[in-house]
């Protein structure tokens, strides 16, 4: 079987899928650069304005990187883009570890942010190329999300244990080494375009003009803001309640444990739903309600146990959201524009990381924890509401396609 030969849901996954899933876990587990960047900046005793600027440049790079890597995946090929992005990461992370001036830190942060999450749209396009049926894609998407969360838990545990004895810079160098290894693996397992899918190259102009993609983007952004709140708003509220940093670590552990426990249960259900000819718009809407209510309940908590329960309650919505949104994306993306579509959708997470602390900080300042609860729930509810016009437009598009085919 060719590395990019179609693999149906009933077949075993081809080696490229296994390689991408393992690499997703390993790269995420070694992804110390982003979560430990504030600690690195704190070591340099920089003022708040400089720290904020460096972190903002990282976020801008992350956002732009999704668009750029998605476009390049269609234009020059999945293999070249993935190898190139991981090679750049292997160079950028050490520069970030060794930079000392604000200017050098800013440039390094922007470049590192550009490639930190680069595999997301490329791997999504590769999975869509390799697996032609929606149940198979849904199964892989579920396990990709599992690998990302298991990797994130590993990042926290390993980074927390090693940061003090070995230093933050060593963690950044380790991140670089793993990305370099991923580049080598990608060079070996991902075939060039000539041996697999013939890529004509998608354009952002076509994608930006697609109302289906815009509605999916808006719904996903609003639904993912509660997910991002787990990493930004939750620690702010816990600090106000006088809880130590270790308490926040327990909420991360509770979230990771819920993902590990629920993924094997939810994934088969989602795979069965993917056999339905209609996209998973209803499930995406449901995920927004679950996420809004789950993370919103953190605004009613005041103890480590309460915050941990809130984080765990949001997990089913998180699992469903990523699988459902990817299912819709796979169905609306033209074959030659899979990378572009995946890249544009991938910016939702970067945008949510920016919006969540801004919205949460405003709510904390204006009305305290109760207002955080209300705004978080309303954000998820609004995301669910955007699924209604998305479902209507998908239905209209399906009817139009049926008339044309008949």
């Amino acid at each position: 079987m060719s590395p990019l030969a179609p693999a149906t849901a009933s077949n075993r996954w081809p080696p490229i899928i296994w390689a991408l899933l393992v690499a997703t876990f390993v790269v995420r587990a070694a992804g110390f650069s982003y979560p430990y960047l504030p600690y690195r900046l704190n070591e340099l005793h920089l003022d708040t304005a400089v720290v904020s600027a460096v972190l903002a440049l990282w976020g801008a790079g992350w956002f732009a990187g999704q668009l750029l890597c998605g476009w390049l995946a269609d234009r020059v090929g999945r293999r070249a883009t993935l190898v190139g992005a991981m090679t750049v990461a292997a160079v950028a992370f050490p520069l970030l570890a060794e930079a000392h001036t604000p200017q050098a830190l800013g440039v390094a942060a922007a470049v590192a942010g550009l490639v930190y999450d680069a595999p997301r749209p490329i791997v999504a396009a590769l999975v869509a190329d390799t697996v032609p049926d929606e149940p198979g894609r849904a199964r892989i998407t579920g396990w990709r999300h599992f690998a990302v969360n298991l990797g994130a838990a590993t990042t926290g545990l390993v980074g927390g244990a090693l940061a003090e004895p070995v230093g933050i810079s060593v963690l950044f160098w380790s991140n670089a080494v793993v990305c370099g290894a991923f580049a080598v693996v990608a060079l070996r397992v991902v075939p060039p375009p000539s041996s697999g899918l013939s890529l004509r190259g998608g354009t952002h102009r076509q994608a930006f003009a697609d109302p289906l993609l815009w509605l999916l983007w808006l719904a996903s952004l609003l639904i993912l803001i509660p997910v991002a709140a787990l990493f930004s708003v939750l620690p702010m509220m816990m600090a106000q309640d006088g809880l130590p940093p270790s308490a926040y670590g327990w909420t991360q552990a509770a979230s990771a444990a819920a993902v590990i426990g629920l993924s094997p249960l939810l994934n088969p259900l989602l795979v069965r739903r993917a056999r339905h000819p209609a996209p998973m718009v209803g499930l995406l809407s449901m995920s927004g309600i679950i996420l809004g209510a789950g993370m919103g309940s953190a605004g009613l908590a005041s103890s480590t146990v309460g915050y941990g329960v809130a984080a765990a309650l949001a997990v089913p919505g998180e699992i469903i959201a990523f699988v459902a949104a990817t299912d819709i994306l796979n169905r609306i993306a033209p074959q030659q524009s899979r990378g572009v579509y995946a890249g544009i959708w991938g910016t939702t997470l970067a945008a949510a990381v920016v919006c969540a602390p801004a919205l949460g900080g405003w709510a904390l300042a204006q009305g305290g924890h109760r207002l955080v609860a209300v705004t978080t729930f309303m954000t998820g509810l609004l995301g669910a509401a955007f699924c209604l016009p998305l479902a209507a437009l998908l239905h209209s598009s399906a009817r139009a396609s049926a008339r044309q085919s008949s």
Side-chain angles (χ1 to χ4, degrees):
M1 178 184 290
S2 166
L4 278 181
T8 65
S10 59
N11 292 340
R12 294 179 177 178
W13 292 339
I16 186 175
I17 297 298
W18 284 109
L20 292 173
L21 286 175
V22 172
T24 295
F25 165 72
V26 174
V27 170
R28 188 63 185 86
F32 305 111
S33 299
Y34 177 63
Y36 289 92
L37 179 57
Y39 293 97
R40 162 69 180 148
L41 299 175
N42 184 62
E43 288 179 346
L44 300 175
H45 305 292
L46 302 169
D47 62 50
T48 304
V50 173
V51 171
S52 298
V54 172
L55 294 176
L57 285 168
W58 178 291
W62 187 352
F63 190 95
Q66 293 293 296
L67 297 175
L68 178 63
C69 290
W71 177 76
L72 287 174
D74 288 337
R75 183 63 58 179
V76 304
R78 323 308 195 203
R79 183 196 198 195
T81 306
L82 188 56
V83 171
M86 290 298 94
T87 302
V88 172
V91 175
F93 295 152
L95 291 178
L96 194 59
E98 303 302 327
H100 289 83
T101 66
Q103 294 80 4
L105 286 165
V107 172
V111 176
L114 197 72
V115 294
Y116 181 76
D117 200 31
R120 184 184 298 273
I122 307 168
V123 171
L126 277 168
V127 170
D129 295 343
T130 309
V131 182
D133 62 286
E134 295 305 331
R137 292 171 178 173
R139 179 181 290 112
I140 294 168
T141 299
W143 287 112
R144 277 178 60 207
H145 184 62
F146 176 86
V148 168
N149 279 274
L150 186 60
T154 305
T155 304
L157 291 173
V158 174
L162 296 180
E164 187 172 348
V166 305
I168 300 297
S169 294
V170 173
L171 295 180
F172 284 29
W173 277 91
S174 301
N175 199 165
V177 170
V178 171
C179 288
F182 188 15
V184 175
V185 171
L187 192 62
R188 294 182 62 86
V189 303
V190 181
S194 59
S195 63
L197 181 68
S198 179
L199 295 172
R200 296 191 294 273
T203 65
H204 283 101
R205 181 180 303 175
Q206 175 191 14
F208 284 140
D210 189 343
L212 289 171
L213 180 58
W214 274 114
L215 284 170
L216 176 61
W217 192 93
L218 286 169
S220 299
L221 170 62
L222 291 162
I223 288 169
L224 291 178
I225 285 176
V227 176
L230 176 65
F231 306 102
S232 55
V233 183
L234 200 67
M236 286 193 287
M237 292 194 295
M238 295 181 75
Q240 287 190 355
D241 281 332
L243 298 172
S246 59
Y248 175 64
W250 282 112
T251 66
Q252 295 290 294
S255 176
V259 171
I260 293 170
L262 291 174
S263 290
L265 301 176
L266 286 176
N267 286 349
L269 299 177
L270 294 170
V271 169
R272 284 199 290 271
R273 172 57 183 82
R275 296 192 179 101
H276 195 278
M280 298 186 190
V281 184
L283 283 175
L284 183 62
S285 178
M286 181 190 302
S287 74
I289 298 171
I290 296 172
L291 278 165
M295 283 307 302
S297 67
L300 308 178
S302 59
S303 65
T304 302
V305 173
Y307 284 113
V309 169
L313 286 175
V315 164
E318 182 182 348
I319 295 172
I320 294 170
F322 279 97
V323 175
T326 304
D327 173 80
I328 299 168
L329 188 70
N330 287 335
R331 294 175 191 255
I332 67 174
Q335 181 176 342
Q336 73 275 11
S337 299
R338 285 171 176 162
V340 168
Y341 272 63
I344 291 174
W345 184 84
T347 63
T348 56
L349 186 56
V353 169
V354 174
C355 294
L359 179 63
W362 172 84
L364 280 173
Q366 297 299 318
H369 292 201
R370 297 301 173 92
L371 185 57
V372 171
V374 172
T375 55
T376 304
F377 177 67
M378 292 305 296
T379 301
L381 195 62
L382 185 60
F386 266 105
C387 291
L388 295 175
L390 174 61
L393 190 56
L394 280 166
H395 182 67
S396 298
S397 298
R399 290 181 62 184
S401 298
R403 285 197 298 268
Q404 289 177 359
S405 61
S406 60

